[in-house]
Amino acid sequence: MKEPKPFIGQDAAWEEWLAAIASERMHHAWLLSGAKGLGKRAFARAAAAQLVRLPGTPVPEVDGHPDIHVLEHLPANDEEAKKKAEGKPFQTKRNITVDQVREMIRRLSTKPTLGDKRAIVIDPADDMEKGAVNAVLKALEEPPAGTFFLLLTHQPGRLLPTIRSRCRVLRFAALGADELDAAIRRDVPLSDDATRAAAIAAAHGSPGIAFDFLEHDLGGIHALMMRILRDGDDRFHLRGLLADAMGARPARDRQVATLELARSLLVHELRAAPRHRQMRIIEAHGVLTKLSTQAATYNFDAGLLIMEIGGLLASAAMPREAAR
């Protein structure tokens, strides 16, 4: 009987990883590449646990395992660290720091503790400081025996070519509607059919987007975004409705989820857009990506942020003559 996986979909990537573990010459560095929300984080942790698993033993827990090291955004300060320790939402630093990477490299001077393999997960590698990138590159060039790197990336183009060239790529595909439906039924069992269908339609294959849609009740916001993309918003009326739907004091997570939803819609629009419209969509997506990166740590004015999102969607809207 197969063990259940902590993620849905990505079967091809998982089989490739298991085959690599079973092979005699496993590549030392892997790039987990795909859009945000496709399950790379859960996959990486499951992959690391499978890598260090001792023969004949259950899959180990990742947290606290001496041979699994996860580099991710640290809490922004001591107060946020306290919130994390208490299991509360917390703000993080903008980047994975060079000090984190140097500490990890110091640990590589010793052999793995329990077995002969060690996993280093960098989540996401896109967000490393310049000094951290250079330190990781050196480690990739001279990897210690038994050490394997899993670098998560939402935007591979942001990584140095020298890092990409040293990694074997595992590509993460968008999930099908049935897979998304299964994921929602498993993790949000009380969702009704109509809400689940709306989340699947908005997510375009991303379980992360679908879960945010449900958690933050983004149905009204999604409908307004689609109207702006279809009709534009010359009189700012739809942007006003969008601000009302967002609320006066939305939680930071709701703001980030709204940004990610807008980005997802633009990616979907780009695929079918004529060439003369594609550049406007790409420019709007670039600004949204920057805002999304900053939103985790900056205290944006919620009203101004949602108006900015609406304005970017309006700038990428279908030309008026095509919309009629």
Side-chain angles (χ1 to χ4, degrees), residues 128-174:
M128 289 188 291
E129 293 177 345
K130 184 176 180 181
V133 171
N134 293 331
V136 166
L137 178 58
K138 186 174 181 180
L140 294 179
E141 290 172 339
E142 302 172 5
T147 297
F148 299 87
F149 294 84
L150 295 95
L151 279 63
L152 282 65
T153 177
H154 312 312
Q155 297 175 284
R158 292 179 60 185
L159 294 177
L160 291 176
T162 45
I163 284 185
R164 297 200 304 269
S165 67
R166 284 166 172 78
C167 296
R168 178 170 167 177
V169 179
L170 274 180
R171 301 190 186 282
F172 284 66

Side-chain angles (χ1 to χ4, degrees), residues 219-231:
I221 286 176
H222 175 254
L224 287 166
M225 287 180 173
M226 293 300 295
R227 286 180 62 187
I228 292 173
L229 279 173
R230 184 188 68 224
D231 302 330

